């Protein structure tokens, strides 16, 4: 049996190659008494300038990609007055060496981010470590490895891979990477998905176990690394890799294709995004629109709530990039598992059943109005649809819509243009809305079913609680029946229905959803082509029969067993 290392499946795909063991130089330093603070301040200034030059040249290499933006953030941090003055004060008042001052201040920032509950914010500590490493390398005159010089096929193995290191990777040679630390939302993981190379992070010890002469199989979908596999295993994986590459090549023909079944029933295939940074992948994969823009990431990225102008710029960018294609923006969905350090959310026994999403924004109307104004102002740049999350009653829908209409009037009174064609819809995530779908269908312009939440509210099981995860049954007939009820109610009123939860990306579920007559599916950008190929290879008439069969099942496991028979 070949030796195995396991970690978090950060980016899918298979890679087979020898390792490139990344050794970051030892950046430890000796504590010393400082007499000439001017000299230290000058050394610090120079290290900052050299770091900026490095980053600008890395940024040029990744020009016009999502990664370039990461380095904007790094450059901004190098100019952050609060940070710079904290370090210079340590040097001039506490008489610390430049190394010790940088280390102390940066470590306090790193600990602050690492202690945050939110996974996304927690991962931002990696960006600060990246910058710290760069400044320290200049102070200590130790060169950081230049990964852009790699010119043979390798898999990078590292304790950690910083965003700037990841940006240097040339995917013609670097077939994948494995790191000891990091999570699915760390920048290097996000970048691997964008670059389309497999990656496994958070293995805790890969860099200690893997040796220079090992042959590695990296299985990014399973989060597994096989070392020195037996020849039969190696051959199996070589075949898998060949199939994967030809599948990727084949899928390219679907980039500009429309999504429709063999018997010509159109399905809109939209993408879910969290930021304008995701747009490149959306466009490259030929998404027909944005089905869900989770705006809370805009709020999570800054130290305080983004201003109306900042939000307007982000929405405008997304709308302009998508042109005529629809862009469905969801208003702030905070609360539940998503917190914001600068907002005071109440301490609740059951946050998922508490003040979250539209319930919160209807309470904090000043915050809500800012977002609505930014959206309305941006509306003239494209095909905007606005939807409210976690609606459970008509009162909530009317109240949210009322605020939107008020802000529209206010803007027009201020002489600011607003589109007349904005559709207003709701997320369907609560059973109460499903039971009232026939009535809601008369009032809303569209429905978007959020199955991630719908499943937890249907089975009364917290989506984050492992003790009851067995009840989190997204493929249960109850869920599909609820979805069908919404589709029928909407279609009777000539309205459209989309599914934007994770279920929409699942091939088995896609058969049932399309069979039931769903109008749109909104999936991650990297699932677009697979989904399009899958739907285009099937006929609606066959899928309708599958949908009928699913409704006759009593349990999820029966559904899954039946559906798997149709997947090769
Ligand atoms: C959902 O609940 O399915 C959904 C798309 O919203 P989120 O996952 O952001 O709660
Ligand atoms: Mg939700």
């Amino acid at each position: 049996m070949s030796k195995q290392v396991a970690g978090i499946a950060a980016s899918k795909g298979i890679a087979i190659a020898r390792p490139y063991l990344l050794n970051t130089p030892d950046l430890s330093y000796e504590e010393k008494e400082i007499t000439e603070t001017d000299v230290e301040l000058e050394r610090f200034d120079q290290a900052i300038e050299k770091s900026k030059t490095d980053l600008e040249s890395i940024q040029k290499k990744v020009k016009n990609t999502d990664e370039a933006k990461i380095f904007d953030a790094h450059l901004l941090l190098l100019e952050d007055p609060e940070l710079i003055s904290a370090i210079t004060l340590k040097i001039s008042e506490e008489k610390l060496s430049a190394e010790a001052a940088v280390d102390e201040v940066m470590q306090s920032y790193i600990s602050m981010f690492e202690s945050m509950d939110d996974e996304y914010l927690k991962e931002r500590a990696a960006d600060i470590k990246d910058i710290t490493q760069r400044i320290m390398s200049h102070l200590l005159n130790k060169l950081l490895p230049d990964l852009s010089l790699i010119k043979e096929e390798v898999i990078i193995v590292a304790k950690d891979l910083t965003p700037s290191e990841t940006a240097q990777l040339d995917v013609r040679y670097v077939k994948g990477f494995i790191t000891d630390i990091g999570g699915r939302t760390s920048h290097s993981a996000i970048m691997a998905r964008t670059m389309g190379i497999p990656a496994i992070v958070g293995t805790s010890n890969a860099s200690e176990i893997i040796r220079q002469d090992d042959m590695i199989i990296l299985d990014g979908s399973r989060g597994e690394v096989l070392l020195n596999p037996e020849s039969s295993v190696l051959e199996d994986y070589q075949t898998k890799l060949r199939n994967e590459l030809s599948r990727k090549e084949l899928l390219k023909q679907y980039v500009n294709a429309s999504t429709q079944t063999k018997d010509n029933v159109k399905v809109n295939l939209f993408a879910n995004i969290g930021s304008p940074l995701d747009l490149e992948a959306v466009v490259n994969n030929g998404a027909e629109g944005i089905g869900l823009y989770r705006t809370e990431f805009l709020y999570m990225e800054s130290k305080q709530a983004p201003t109306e102008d900042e939000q307007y710029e982000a929405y405008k960018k997304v709308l302009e990039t998508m042109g005529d294609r629809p862009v469905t923006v969801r208003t702030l969905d905070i609360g539940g598992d998503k917190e914001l350090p600068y907002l005071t959310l109440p301490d609740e026994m059951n946050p998922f059943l508490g003040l979250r999403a539209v319930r919160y924004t209807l309470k904090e109307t000043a915050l809500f109005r800012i977002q609505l104004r930014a959206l309305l102002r941006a509306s003239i740049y494209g095909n905007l649809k606005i939807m409210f999350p976690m609606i459970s009653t008509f009162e909530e829908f009317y109240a949210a819509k009322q605020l939107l209409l008020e802000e529209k009037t206010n803007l027009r009174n201020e002489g600011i243009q607003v589109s007349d064609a904005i559709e207003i819809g709701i997320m369907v995530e609560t059973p109460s809305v499903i039971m009232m779908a026939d009535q809601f269908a008369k009032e809303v312009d569209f429905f978007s079913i959020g199955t991630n939440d719908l499943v937890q509210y249907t089975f009364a099981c917290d989506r984050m609680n492992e003790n009851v995860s067995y009840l989190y049954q997204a493929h249960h007939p109850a869920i599909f029946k609820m979805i069908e009820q919404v589709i029928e109610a909407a279609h009777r009123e000539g309205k459209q229905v989309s599914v934007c939860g994770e279920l929409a990306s699942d091939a088995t579920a896609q058969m049932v959803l399309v069979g039931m007559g769903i109008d749109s599916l909104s999936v991650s950008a990297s699932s677009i082509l697979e989904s399009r190929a899958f739907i285009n290879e099937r006929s609606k008439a066959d899928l309708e029969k599958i949908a009928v069969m699913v409704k006759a099942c009593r349990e999820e496991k029966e559904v899954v067993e039946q559906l798997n028979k149709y997947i090769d």
Side-chain angles (χ1 to χ4, degrees):
M1 213 8 222
S2 45
K3 201 166 169 186
Q4 255 179 277
V5 174
I8 298 165
S11 177
K12 64 180 183 191
I14 291 165
I16 305 173
R18 298 267 173 207
Y20 175 101
L21 303 175
L22 176 67
N23 293 314
T24 315
D26 177 9
L27 296 176
S28 57
Y29 57 92
E30 282 186 14
E31 302 278 352
K32 53 182 181 200
E33 277 285 309
I34 296 305
T35 45
E36 293 174 276
T37 51
D38 286 356
V39 175
E40 291 305 300
L41 287 171
E42 177 59 27
R43 288 181 61 232
F44 172 60
D45 276 351
Q46 280 186 8
I48 291 283
E49 285 315 312
K50 285 181 186 162
S51 302
K52 278 187 198 163
T53 315
D54 286 354
L55 287 174
E56 278 157 4
S57 90
I58 296 175
Q59 203 177 32
K60 270 193 203 124
K61 283 188 203 153
V62 292
K63 200 167 60 185
N64 298 328
T65 66
D66 297 355
E67 287 78 53
K69 296 284 189 330
I70 296 175
F71 301 107
D72 278 342
H74 285 197
L75 281 163
L76 273 182
L77 209 70
L78 284 178
E79 282 166 3
D80 185 66
E82 236 177 87
L83 187 89
I84 301 290
S85 77
I87 296 174
T88 45
L89 272 179
K90 288 252 172 223
I91 298 176
S92 53
E93 312 230 315
E94 293 180 33
K95 309 272 181 270
L96 293 187
S97 66
E99 288 88 343
V102 169
D103 193 21
E104 270 194 24
V105 172
M106 297 305 247
Q107 286 310 329
S108 69
Y109 272 69
I110 293 168
S111 317
M112 182 180 83
F113 277 96
E114 280 179 341
S115 67
M116 288 181 177
D117 286 336
D118 181 88
E119 272 309 307
Y120 184 83
L121 291 179
K122 207 181 239 168
E123 297 293 355
R124 301 292 65 79
D127 293 291
I128 305 176
K129 281 187 197 161
D130 189 354
I131 298 168
T132 311
Q133 188 172 301
R134 191 162 296 287
I135 306 173
M136 290 298 263
S137 76
H138 285 298
L139 285 172
L140 296 163
N141 273 328
K142 290 188 180 167
L143 281 185
L144 292 177
D146 184 350
L147 297 178
S148 64
L149 299 177
I150 297 177
K151 292 286 179 260
E152 55 182 338
E153 293 198 356
V154 291
I155 292 170
I156 305 243
V157 178
K159 264 196 176 21
D160 188 16
L161 206 55
T162 62
S164 58
E165 284 161 346
T166 315
Q168 293 172 19
L169 306 181
D170 182 341
V171 293
R172 283 174 302 171
Y173 303 107
V174 176
K175 297 292 154 195
F177 65 77
I178 305 162
T179 62
D180 293 354
I181 60 176
R184 248 192 84 78
T185 50
S186 53
H187 265 143
S188 44
I190 296 170
M191 286 160 82
R193 293 197 284 276
T194 314
M195 292 154 87
I197 57 169
I200 299 178
V201 299
T203 59
S204 68
N205 54 6
S207 72
E208 283 159 33
I209 293 177
I210 298 174
R211 310 250 163 258
Q212 191 58 64
D213 54 355
D214 284 338
M215 174 48 91
I216 307 181
I217 296 177
L218 188 175
D219 186 337
S221 313
R222 289 164 172 264
E224 277 173 11
V225 185
L226 299 175
L227 300 180
N228 305 316
E230 290 157 19
S231 56
S232 60
V233 176
L234 183 62
E235 274 162 31
D236 270 3
Y237 268 96
Q238 277 163 339
T239 313
K240 275 191 197 170
L241 179 58
R242 271 195 301 277
N243 292 344
E244 198 179 277
L245 294 177
S246 48
R247 178 87 188 142
K248 254 191 194 163
E249 219 27 64
L250 209 69
L251 284 178
K252 284 191 187 153
Q253 63 176 307
Y254 288 100
V255 173
N256 298 314
S258 113
T259 315
Q260 56 189 58
T261 58
K262 282 203 291 198
D263 43 357
N264 298 325
V265 175
K266 176 88 191 89
V267 178
N268 297 305
L269 204 47
F270 295 145
N272 290 351
I273 63 166
S275 132
L277 296 181
D278 299 330
L279 286 171
E280 191 187 71
V282 169
V283 173
N284 288 347
N285 287 292
E288 293 156 53
I290 304 286
L292 167 65
Y293 177 3
R294 288 183 162 101
T295 55
E296 42 286 358
F297 290 103
L298 197 62
Y299 289 72
M300 287 177 181
E301 277 160 9
S302 50
K303 286 193 217 148
Q304 64 271 319
T307 62
E308 183 182 314
D309 281 347
E310 282 164 351
Q311 294 192 50
Y312 161 76
E313 289 300 336
Y315 305 146
K316 178 172 173 238
K317 170 93 201 299
V318 177
L319 285 160
E320 278 181 338
T321 308
M322 297 309 289
D324 294 338
R325 289 175 281 186
V327 172
T328 313
V329 182
R330 176 174 78 183
T331 61
L332 182 63
D333 184 351
I334 210 67
D337 59 332
K338 296 177 218 146
E339 289 177 15
L340 286 174
Y342 51 83
L343 292 185
T344 38
L345 290 164
D347 230 350
E348 296 174 307
M349 293 275 277
N350 292 303
F352 272 118
L353 299 181
L355 193 65
R356 63 169 291 207
V358 80
R359 303 170 182 187
Y360 182 81
T361 49
L362 283 177
K363 194 156 175 286
E364 299 295 333
T365 50
L367 184 86
F368 197 20
R369 283 179 190 273
I370 291 174
Q371 178 169 42
L372 297 174
R373 283 175 66 89
L375 279 167
L376 291 165
R377 279 172 56 200
S379 66
I380 54 169
Y381 295 99
N383 181 358
L384 175 66
K385 294 165 184 260
I386 297 177
M387 68 178 170
F388 304 120
M390 269 287 290
I391 292 283
S392 42
T393 66
F394 273 102
E395 287 95 315
E396 286 171 333
F397 173 64
Y398 289 141
K401 187 172 170 181
Q402 178 61 25
L403 289 175
L404 184 71
L405 297 180
E406 278 174 27
E407 285 311 325
K408 199 176 193 177
T409 310
N410 289 345
L411 284 168
R412 288 201 166 137
N413 289 342
E414 291 164 36
I416 297 169
Q417 247 189 309
V418 177
S419 163
D420 266 327
I422 309 169
E423 290 193 2
I424 306 173
I426 58 170
M427 295 274 297
V428 177
E429 301 178 285
T430 58
S432 65
V433 168
I434 297 193
M435 296 313 292
M436 301 298 285
D438 51 348
Q439 315 253 22
F440 269 105
K442 296 184 201 301
E443 304 283 327
V444 302
D445 294 324
F446 64 92
F447 289 118
S448 184
I449 306 177
T451 48
N452 303 342
D453 276 316
L454 181 61
V455 175
Q456 77 165 341
Y457 297 131
T458 301
F459 293 99
C461 90
D462 182 342
R463 74 195 239 191
M464 310 291 282
N465 185 340
E466 280 170 25
N467 295 325
V468 288
S469 61
Y470 70 95
L471 279 172
Y472 192 87
Q473 300 186 8
H475 292 78
H476 196 284
I479 297 296
F480 286 120
K481 284 186 181 184
M482 290 172 121
I483 294 175
E484 186 175 56
Q485 202 170 319
V486 179
I487 297 173
E488 285 175 355
H491 287 179
R492 277 197 294 272
E493 298 297 329
K495 307 286 166 64
Q496 295 224 324
V497 186
S498 157
V499 172
C500 65
E502 286 304 305
L503 195 66
S505 304
D506 178 273
T508 56
Q510 286 174 348
M511 294 192 289
V512 187
L513 298 172
V514 175
M516 287 180 164
I518 200 77
D519 302 291
S520 322
L521 295 172
S522 194
V523 302
S524 64
S526 56
S527 306
I528 294 272
L529 296 180
E530 281 286 358
S531 304
R532 184 169 292 146
F534 186 78
I535 293 167
N536 289 14
E537 283 158 12
R538 280 160 176 80
S539 87
K540 169 84 183 323
D542 289 344
L543 300 181
E544 279 172 8
K545 289 185 203 133
I546 294 178
V548 170
M549 178 273 295
V550 162
K551 283 186 293 171
C553 292
R554 290 164 37 143
E555 293 183 277
E556 185 191 50
K557 63 171 188 261
E558 227 179 305
V559 173
V560 173
E561 201 178 290
Q562 293 292 333
L563 292 179
N564 277 335
K565 291 186 189 157
Y566 297 91
I567 305 267
D568 31 56

